[in-house]
């Protein structure tokens, strides 16, 4: 509620008559704010931290451009130059683009969907701390004079110990892998939140379009990030203990890294683009005053992009000697992805065609996005053609293309989103005048910088060179590009100044300042901690346009679910994933230090590996396990009910496959399957391209393999039985079988020497991965047994048992797949 | 006010449309994997399969994929999910044909 006399935005309204309820949702004051797990706090942490990384990375870009301003410049030496452009790309791609967009998703989605918080607030907080600590590890490389210098893609063999002997690549591999935990945890959290906590009546077809974009993005992250995680682990293991994954002399292949990296790297471009396009699809109808044209077309386009974008990875590898027919396959896929992209762009253009838009600052950035991104898309089609790609490969033409796509497709919508949603964060409006200055400086500076790079590239200037000779046609183009980069940076400075200064200079934001139709503007900025005192029933995709009663009354007087259930617990409404009808009450955690402490323990573990202090690394891992146990120890509340008034009585934390924890487990299993598939891809790839190394390292033991499979199947069966008859003894049986299966798998691969060949090393990694899965089941089952023995569980509280079944089944499936892989070479001989 | 919550529909009316949105792109994914696997089997050092065998596998897999992905294209309706399904099917059919084109148009791995 805005207190006009004080001229300061206030969060509220805080209802004095419901003191216990309001206090339950309040953010802890002072330093205890660090214990907050609210999506609003965590989302803002992601956004602000991402913005800081953006500014650091942007500063590094200016150093690069300054070095290239004149030929034969000595501003940076070659080694420093390599570090600067590597860190620029790394920070932008890993620590800015994805986290900041996820931050917006974390902040906005519950507000748009009609939820009081995300369903796993502690997971979100844990993910943020992992992101922060991982980012600090990467940045710390500057302090230790060991900044990575192998490019943001860390290609092998350059990044192997032989050619990069220091710690620089280790900083990159460990820091980035750690930070990626944030991305995958946020993905699982967003999937569960979007599918399970929507307002009553909000079926999938009445969901705000931004939620569709974020849902597809989250699924893409669950599948897209695991290949890089696996690749990073393989490379770090090779660097630490010498397993020869990428050593051709021992049956490895440097191209394996490229495959794994780009299996992540290409979808990542879409993972960056889609949320930003979702922001555009949300903001554009507001300024046009009409709903998005072609909602169904946009949904189809987003879903198809989410799939087809995974079929393009090798178009980054056109110059690596792949068979021509394979190149053609990837060229075809790269071409076809333009169709769903074009469908989306036409949805935006036709929305614009419905009515003259209000030319606000966010609208300027939307128009800038359309103009720039379409040009980037067109040069993308050019690069999809193999002959042109060979001509332009690794030239500044590619640099121009990727910046048109990423700055046009992500940064411009993002800045527009800042202007659009900042009133929600701070209760004040950013400046229209400064915003337009920022836009025009950025827009003109961008084109001066990057449009000219197309020409520079076509004139033959390669990427990543620290300087160039004079008089070969690159001088003036580089000079102008550098001047353009300064103009672009000036635009960013104006935006940042406005973002900071509006907190005391900006006018107070009125209720629904942009006259938007989506639910996040129901309350006057700044919305109260619980987002919705009552969660209203929704009848359309633009409830604030189509249900006038929502804005006619004070927001806290809105009728809806949970209005008459104010008490000292945090909770929100859980829904059916498809229909959106209320299904349950989801109990949510209060502020806690556990996510921070657990993430810190993991950070200690990762950092200790970097410093080769393995005892400390193990201690950190054990501490993290205790942290997770403390996290999950709370008593189950399944079986309780809450009277919600309008929608009757709803059960708390329902034990069902439609429940939020089960959906989260499915999302987690997608990550696990993608990790396993990535390892399997590595095995199959090396087996296929280096056939002479297949059996040089010894054969796995098939007896122990069959024992592992039998135990895995038995473990699944007992886990399934435990769902119907939850008893501690069955939990112990699952734990025992999981342990034996893991031990048997270890015995199975023991006869092979992982140091002898790359294929044997990948078999060990495969066994290690499944062993980890078995350990999770063992730990989980012992934990459940302990809870039962200590009287923490009442009859009917079987949510963990329901969730354990798919985990056990998928692990057993991995064991069977591993058995086939281990047995195949020996069966081939029998044939 | 009721004593019990409205029982969620076990098969909400949007479920068939949603299935039709997901199915074509899943089929495209499987088809892409088939083509990539066939080419990898035929064109890598191990030469698990001959090139003609790869062409045959793709030639058999493609019509099957086209039928499975295209199923439901002519279903009527102007609900958002139905429109989305129709567009997804059309894009997926085109994408399957694009996957197949190199195998049918080019002669051999190189």
């Amino acid at each position: 509620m805005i207190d006009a006399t004080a001229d300061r935005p206030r969060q509220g309204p805080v209802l004095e008559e419901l003191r216990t309820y309001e206090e339950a949702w309040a953010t802890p004051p002072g330093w205890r704010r660090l214990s907050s797990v609210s999506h609003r706090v965590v989302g803002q942490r992601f956004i602000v931290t991402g913005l800081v990384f953006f500014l650091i990375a942007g500063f590094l870009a200016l150093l690069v451009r300054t070095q290239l301003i004149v030929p034969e410049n000595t501003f940076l030496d070659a080694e420093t130059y390599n570090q600067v452009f590597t860190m620029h790309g790394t920070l932008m791609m890993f620590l800015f683009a994805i986290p900041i967009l996820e931050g917006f998703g974390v902040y906005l989605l519950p507000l748009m969907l009609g939820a009081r918080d995300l369903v796993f607030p502690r997971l979100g907080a844990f993910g943020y701390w992992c992101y922060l600590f991982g980012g600090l590890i990467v940045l710390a490389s500057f302090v230790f004079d060991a900044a990575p210098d192998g490019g943001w893609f860390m290609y092998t063999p350059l990044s192997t110990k032989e050619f990069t002997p220091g710690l620089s690549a280790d900083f990159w591999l460990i820091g980035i892998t750690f930070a990626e935990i944030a991305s995958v945890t946020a993905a699982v959290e967003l999937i569960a939140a979007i599918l399970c906590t929507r307002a009553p009546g909000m079926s999938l077809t009445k969901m705000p379009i931004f939620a569709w974009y974020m849902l597809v993005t989250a699924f893409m992250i669950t599948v897209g990030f695991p290949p890089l995680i696996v690749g990073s682990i393989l490379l770090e293991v090779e660097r630490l203990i010498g397993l020869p994954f990428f050593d051709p002399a021992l049956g490895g292949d440097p191209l394996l890294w490229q495959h794994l990296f780009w299996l992540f790297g290409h979808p990542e471009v879409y993972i960056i683009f889609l949320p930003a396009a979702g922001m555009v699809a949300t903001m554009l109808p507001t300024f046009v005053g009409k709903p998005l044209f072609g909602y169904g077309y946009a949904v189809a386009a987003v879903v198809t992009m989410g799939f087809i974008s995974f079929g393009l990875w090798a178009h980054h590898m056109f110059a690596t000697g792949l068979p021509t027919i394979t190149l053609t396959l990837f060229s075809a896929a790269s071409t076809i992805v333009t169709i769903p992209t074009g469908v989306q762009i036409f949805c935006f253009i036709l929305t614009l065609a419905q009515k003259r838009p209000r030319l606000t600052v966010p609208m300027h950035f939307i128009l800038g996005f359309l103009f720039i991104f379409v040009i980037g898309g067109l040069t993308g089609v050019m690069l999809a053609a193999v002959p042109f790609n060979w001509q332009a490969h690794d030239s500044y033409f590619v640099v121009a293309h990727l910046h048109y796509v990423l700055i046009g497709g992500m940064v411009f919508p993002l800045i527009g989103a800042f202007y659009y949603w900042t009133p929600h964060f701070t209760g004040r409006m950013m400046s229209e005048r400064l915003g337009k200055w920022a836009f025009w400086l950025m827009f003109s500076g961008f084109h001066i910088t990057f449009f000219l790079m197309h020409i520079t590239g076509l004139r033959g200037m390669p990427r990543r060179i620290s300087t160039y000779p004079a008089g070969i046609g690159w001088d003036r183009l580089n000079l102008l590009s550098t001047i353009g980069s300064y103009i672009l940076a000036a635009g960013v400075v104006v935006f940042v100044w406005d973002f900071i200064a509006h907190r005391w200079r900006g006018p107070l934001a009125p209720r629904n300042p942009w006259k938007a139709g989506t639910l996040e503007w129901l309350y006057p900025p700044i919305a109260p901690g619980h987002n919705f005192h009552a969660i209203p029933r929704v009848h359309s995709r633009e409830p604030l346009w189509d249900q006038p009663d929502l804005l006619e009354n004070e927001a806290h007087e809105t009728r809806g679910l949970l209005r008459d259930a104010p008490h000292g617990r945090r909770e929100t409404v859980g829904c059916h994933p498809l229909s959106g009808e209320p299904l349950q009450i989801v109990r949510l955690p209060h502020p806690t230090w556990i996510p921070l402490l657990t993430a810190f323990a993991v950070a200690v573990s990762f950092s200790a590996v970097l410093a080769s202090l393995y005892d400390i690394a193990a201690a950190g891992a054990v501490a993290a396990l205790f942290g997770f146990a403390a996290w999950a120890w709370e008593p189950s509340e399944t079986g309780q009910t809450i009277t919600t008034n309008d929608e009757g009585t709803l059960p708390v934390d329902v034990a069902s496959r439609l429940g939020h924890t089960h959906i989260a487990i499915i999302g987690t299993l997608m990550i696990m399957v993608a990790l396993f598939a990535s390892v399997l891809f590595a095995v199959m790839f090396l087996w296929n391209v280096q056939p002479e190394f297949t059996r040089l390292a010894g054969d796995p033991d098939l007896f122990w393999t069959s024992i592992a499979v039998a135990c895995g199947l038995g473990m699944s069966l007992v886990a399934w039985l435990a769902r119907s008859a939850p008893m501690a003894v069955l939990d112990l049986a699952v734990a025992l079988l999981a342990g034996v299966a893991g031990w048997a798998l270890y015995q199975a691969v023991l006869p092979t020497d992982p140091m002898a060949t790359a294929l044997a090393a990948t078999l060990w990694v495969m066994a290690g991965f499944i062993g980890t899965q078995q350990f999770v089941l063992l730990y989980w089952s012992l934990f459940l047994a302990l809870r039962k023995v200590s009287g923490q569980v009442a009859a009917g509280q079987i949510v963990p048992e329901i969730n354990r079944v798919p985990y056990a089944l998928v692990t057993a499936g991995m064991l069977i797949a591993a058995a086939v892989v281990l047995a195949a070479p020996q069966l081939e001989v029998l044939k | 006010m009721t004593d019990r919550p409205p029982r969620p529909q076990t098969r909400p009316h949007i479920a068939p449309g949603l299935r039709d949105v997901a199915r074509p792109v899943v089929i495209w994914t499987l088809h892409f994997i088939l083509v990539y696997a066939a080419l990898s089997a035929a064109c890598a050092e191990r030469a698990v399969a001959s090139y003609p065998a790869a062409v045959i596998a793709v030639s058999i897999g493609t019509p099957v994929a086209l039928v499975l992905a295209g199923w439901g294209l002519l279903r009527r309706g102007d609900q958002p999910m139905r429109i989305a399904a129709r567009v997804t099917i059309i894009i997926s059919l085109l994408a399957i044909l694009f996957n197949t084109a190199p195998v049918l148009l080019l002669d051999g791995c190189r």
Side-chain angles (χ1 to χ4, degrees):
Chain A
M1 178 180 282
I2 297 168
D3 181 346
T5 55
D7 191 29
R8 291 178 61 188
R10 294 278 173 81
Q11 187 174 33
V14 175
L15 305 175
E16 289 299 326
E17 65 274 24
L18 300 173
R19 180 167 292 276
T20 311
Y21 165 72
E22 295 288 0
E23 282 175 356
W25 285 99
T27 300
W31 62 277
R32 287 196 299 124
R33 186 179 168 86
L34 293 176
S35 69
S36 174
V37 293
S38 157
H39 78 103
R40 304 256 296 275
V41 175
V42 173
Q44 289 190 54
R45 282 179 194 152
F46 267 110
I47 291 167
V48 171
T49 310
L51 193 58
V52 170
F53 280 122
F54 171 66
L55 296 177
I56 296 170
F59 174 73
L60 296 174
L62 290 181
L63 295 183
V64 168
R65 283 312 322 166
T66 303
Q67 166 63 18
L68 296 175
I69 191 168
V70 290
E72 294 165 14
N73 197 2
T74 55
F75 174 64
L76 299 176
D77 60 57
E79 187 184 348
T80 309
Y81 181 85
N82 290 347
Q83 292 177 335
V84 168
F85 79 69
T86 298
M87 290 295 275
H88 163 70
T90 300
L91 296 185
M92 284 291 191
M93 297 299 279
F94 294 105
L95 301 176
F96 157 63
I98 293 174
I100 200 167
L101 291 169
E102 283 189 328
F104 270 94
V106 165
Y107 185 96
L108 291 173
L109 279 169
L111 290 154
M112 285 183 171
L113 297 173
R116 286 175 166 178
D117 205 332
L118 289 172
V119 282
F120 302 112
R122 286 173 297 195
L123 190 64
F126 173 74
Y128 169 75
W129 295 117
C130 289
Y131 159 55
L132 180 66
F133 294 143
L136 290 177
I137 288 174
V138 175
L139 276 185
S141 62
F142 276 124
V143 178
F144 293 98
D145 194 21
D149 57 1
W152 80 278
F153 31 69
M154 253 329 124
Y155 276 171
T156 56
L158 177 61
S159 56
T160 58
K161 202 75 176 173
E162 185 181 358
F163 299 105
T164 306
L167 281 177
S168 62
D170 305 297
F171 270 106
W172 190 95
L173 291 165
I174 288 175
I176 293 300
T177 303
F178 189 22
E180 280 164 7
I181 293 174
S183 298
V184 293
T185 55
V188 170
E189 191 179 21
L190 293 178
I191 289 170
I194 294 168
L195 291 178
C196 299
T197 54
R198 303 196 299 275
M202 190 184 279
S203 65
L204 285 181
T205 51
K206 288 180 186 152
M207 200 163 72
I209 191 71
F210 183 66
W212 270 107
Y213 278 88
M214 290 306 296
L215 182 64
V216 172
T217 303
F219 276 117
M220 288 180 71
I221 289 173
T222 63
V223 180
F225 274 59
L228 179 63
I229 293 174
V230 166
S232 300
I233 291 171
L234 296 188
L235 182 51
E236 185 58 27
V237 169
E238 174 167 328
R239 290 179 58 85
L240 279 179
I241 56 177
L243 295 190
F245 303 108
F246 307 107
D247 182 358
L250 294 173
D253 193 330
L255 279 189
L256 172 60
W257 169 263
Q258 289 203 30
H259 278 292
L260 290 172
F261 183 86
W262 289 117
L263 267 165
F264 146 82
H266 197 83
E268 194 208 12
V269 175
Y270 293 85
I271 288 168
I272 291 170
F273 166 69
L274 284 179
M279 291 168 164
V280 170
T282 306
M283 294 186 284
L284 186 57
T286 299
F287 297 116
V288 174
K290 295 274 187 184
L292 180 72
F293 182 92
Y295 179 89
Y297 288 87
V299 169
V302 177
V303 172
T304 45
M305 280 177 85
F307 279 80
I308 294 176
S309 63
F310 280 93
L312 319 183
W313 81 88
H315 89 197
H316 296 268
M317 300 165 63
F318 278 176
T320 58
L322 296 176
T324 305
I325 193 160
T326 308
L327 301 187
T328 315
L329 170 67
F330 284 96
S331 177
S334 305
T335 308
I336 201 75
V337 81
T338 57
I339 292 181
T341 313
V343 169
Q344 277 183 82
I345 297 298
F346 277 108
C347 286
F348 298 153
I349 291 172
L350 290 170
T351 304
L352 269 173
Q354 293 183 89
K355 198 176 161 191
R356 188 181 177 83
R358 285 181 281 149
L359 275 179
T360 58
V361 173
M363 193 64 218
H364 276 72
F365 280 97
I366 291 170
L367 293 173
F369 150 79
L370 282 170
F371 186 80
I372 297 169
F373 182 74
V374 168
I375 294 174
L378 291 174
T379 54
V381 178
M382 294 166 73
L383 288 167
V386 177
F388 183 83
N389 190 295
W390 280 342
Q391 189 67 28
H393 186 79
D394 259 352
S395 76
Y396 261 82
F397 188 92
V398 178
V399 179
H401 160 70
L402 73 92
H403 283 90
Y404 264 78
V405 171
L406 290 173
I407 295 184
M410 184 267 176
V411 176
F412 271 70
L414 181 78
I415 306 289
F418 266 103
Y419 275 90
Y420 185 79
W421 277 296
T422 286
H424 217 291
F425 307 149
T426 63
R428 290 186 185 275
M429 306 294 288
M430 290 175 70
S431 164
E432 280 285 306
R433 188 171 58 86
L434 289 179
K436 285 175 184 167
W437 269 101
F439 170 77
W440 285 112
L441 285 169
M442 288 180 69
F443 187 76
S444 53
F446 172 83
H447 285 292
I448 295 169
T449 307
F450 293 106
F451 188 80
L452 298 179
M453 283 186 192
H454 291 111
I455 303 166
T456 320
L458 291 177
R459 286 191 174 185
M461 181 166 171
R463 303 167 70 177
R464 308 181 199 104
I465 54 169
S466 60
T467 189
Y468 51 92
I472 55 173
W474 302 344
D475 310 17
R476 187 165 304 169
L477 291 168
N478 272 298
L479 172 68
L480 291 171
S481 280
T482 302
I483 292 170
S485 71
Y486 296 154
I487 297 171
L488 174 60
V492 174
V493 168
V494 171
F495 155 69
V496 172
W497 167 251
D498 194 13
F499 186 62
I500 294 168
H502 91 282
R503 286 172 177 266
W504 67 86
R505 298 187 346 166
L508 289 175
R511 188 179 185 187
N512 195 5
W514 306 109
K515 302 195 177 358
T518 41
L519 216 47
E520 77 270 24
W521 297 106
L522 177 65
Y523 274 83
I526 306 168
H530 47 67
N531 294 350
F532 301 93
H533 181 40
I535 300 173
R537 179 163 278 277
V538 165
H539 303 295
S540 78
R541 287 191 287 270
E542 290 87 16
L544 298 191
W545 287 350
D546 300 329
Q547 295 170 240
D549 56 305
L550 290 176
L551 287 177
E552 282 168 3
N553 303 319
E554 292 288 332
H556 63 276
E557 292 170 352
T558 304
R559 289 201 61 78
L561 259 73
L562 293 177
R563 177 180 167 77
D564 294 330
H567 49 76
R569 295 296 306 275
R570 292 187 176 196
E571 57 197 11
T572 192
V573 176
C575 70
H576 188 286
L578 300 183
S579 69
E581 289 303 325
L583 184 71
Q584 60 167 336
I585 298 297
V586 177
R587 280 273 160 81
L588 301 167
H590 289 245
T592 166
W593 293 98
I594 290 177
L596 172 55
L597 296 175
T598 309
F600 183 73
V602 181
V604 168
S605 188
F606 274 67
S607 307
V609 170
L610 194 54
S612 302
L613 301 170
Y614 298 111
D615 292 343
I616 295 176
V622 171
L625 284 177
F626 276 109
F628 290 126
W631 183 330
W633 186 254
E634 63 191 19
S636 172
E637 293 174 295
T638 302
Q640 297 180 20
T641 56
I642 297 283
T643 302
T644 65
N645 198 1
D646 287 4
E647 305 284 343
T649 301
L650 287 173
V652 173
D653 292 343
V654 67
S656 159
R657 287 191 298 172
L658 295 175
H660 57 293
T661 55
H662 193 77
I663 299 288
I665 284 290
I666 300 301
T668 306
L669 284 174
M670 286 184 69
I671 297 168
M672 295 305 168
V673 170
L675 285 168
F676 182 70
S678 303
V679 177
L680 215 51
F681 176 87
V683 173
M684 300 290 286
F685 177 80
L686 294 176
W687 176 81
N688 205 23
V689 301
Q690 299 272 34
E692 65 273 27
F693 288 88
T694 303
R695 300 185 69 189
L696 293 185
D699 289 331
D701 188 320
L702 295 186
F703 169 74
W704 282 108
T705 306
S706 54
I707 295 290
V709 172
C711 288
L713 292 173
M715 172 191 75
S716 301
L717 179 64
V718 179
W720 183 75
L721 289 173
R723 195 180 57 167
S724 314
M727 294 183 291
V729 67
L730 290 182
D731 294 329
L732 292 174
V734 173
L736 180 68
L737 287 166
V740 175
W743 173 254
L745 195 59
Y746 169 68
Q747 292 295 327
V749 294
L750 205 51
T752 62
D753 178 5
M755 305 298 282
T757 67
L759 185 62
T762 52
L763 292 180
W764 271 76
V765 170
M766 182 179 70
F769 176 77
I770 298 175
T772 309
Q773 288 282 99
Q774 303 287 2
F775 176 76
V776 170
L777 278 164
L778 184 149
Y779 187 70
W780 187 350
S781 301
L782 289 178
F783 179 81
L784 292 185
L786 188 61
R787 278 173 64 86
K788 291 190 180 89
V789 170
S790 60
Q792 290 285 312
V793 183
Q797 294 181 335
I798 56 167
V799 171
E801 282 78 6
I802 290 176
N803 294 339
R804 188 176 51 184
V805 173
Y807 206 97
L809 284 171
V810 167
T811 306
M814 289 175 185
L815 270 168
I816 292 170
V820 172
V821 169
L822 294 177
Q826 296 170 62
L827 297 177
E828 197 176 34
V829 171
L830 292 176
K831 186 176 72 175
Chain B
M1 179 173 168
T2 57
D3 290 329
R4 296 174 60 79
R7 186 180 170 79
Q9 297 161 322
T10 49
R11 292 169 70 85
H13 68 280
I14 61 168
L18 186 65
R19 213 168 32 236
D20 281 353
V21 170
R23 194 194 60 247
V25 277
V26 171
I27 299 293
W28 172 84
T29 306
L30 296 175
H31 183 262
F32 182 87
I33 292 171
L34 168 74
V35 176
Y36 182 67
L39 296 181
S40 300
C43 299
E45 284 76 355
R46 184 175 279 275
V48 179
S50 65
Y51 187 76
V55 174
I56 290 169
V58 174
S59 303
I60 294 171
T62 299
V64 175
L66 288 172
V67 170
L68 291 175
W71 201 263
L73 177 63
L74 301 179
R75 238 172 247 155
R76 291 173 183 278
D78 56 358
Q79 307 274 336
M81 205 51 84
R82 179 55 48 204
I83 293 170
R86 213 174 293 139
V87 177
T88 310
I89 289 170
I90 291 170
I91 295 173
S92 300
L93 291 176
L94 278 172
I96 289 169
L97 290 174
F98 267 56
N99 287 345
T100 312
V103 184
L104 297 183
L105 299 179
L106 298 184
D107 184 20
C109 295
R110 300 281 165 191

